[in-house]
Amino acid sequence: MLTLFETRDRRVKDLLEVRRLHTKYGDELVAVLGKRASDRSMDDRDRRHWKRILRKAHKYTPPTPNRSTAP
């Protein structure tokens, strides 16, 4: 799925999931998602989901305490 054609709701839900998983797995996030995305015991639909989340996890940079969110 191309990000160009994603709905805003899907992008928000995926970002929240990446944040949640990053809190859980930390720096191992990409490795964990890579294993899930290539797990042949899962349905194709589930693997596609994890591949999409993996693509977004590659681009994700966690917020730092010093970074201001104000413009």
Side-chain angles (χ1 to χ4, degrees):
M1 174 190 280
L2 297 173
T3 6
L4 179 65
F5 301 110
E6 271 186 337
T7 64
R8 181 181 184 281
D9 290 341
R10 171 58 44 214
R11 285 191 305 272
V12 169
K13 286 179 183 178
D14 287 349
L15 177 61
L16 291 174
E17 185 165 9
V18 169
R19 285 181 182 168
R20 181 185 63 81
L21 291 169
H22 185 267
T23 302
K24 184 174 182 178
Y25 295 111
D27 293 336
E28 297 297 315
L29 175 62
V30 173
V32 170
L33 291 176
K35 288 178 185 176
R36 289 184 187 183
S38 62
D39 185 358
R40 292 307 223 164
S41 65
M42 285 190 202
D43 292 336
D44 287 341
R45 180 175 183 247
D46 293 333
R47 279 198 316 275
R48 282 193 310 268
H49 167 78
W50 292 117
K51 285 178 185 177
R52 186 182 74 243
I53 300 300
L54 175 61
R55 278 193 313 270
K56 294 178 181 192
H58 278 292
K59 299 175 188 173
Y60 178 70
T61 55
T64 59
N66 296 336
R67 188 184 304 173
S68 173
T69 56

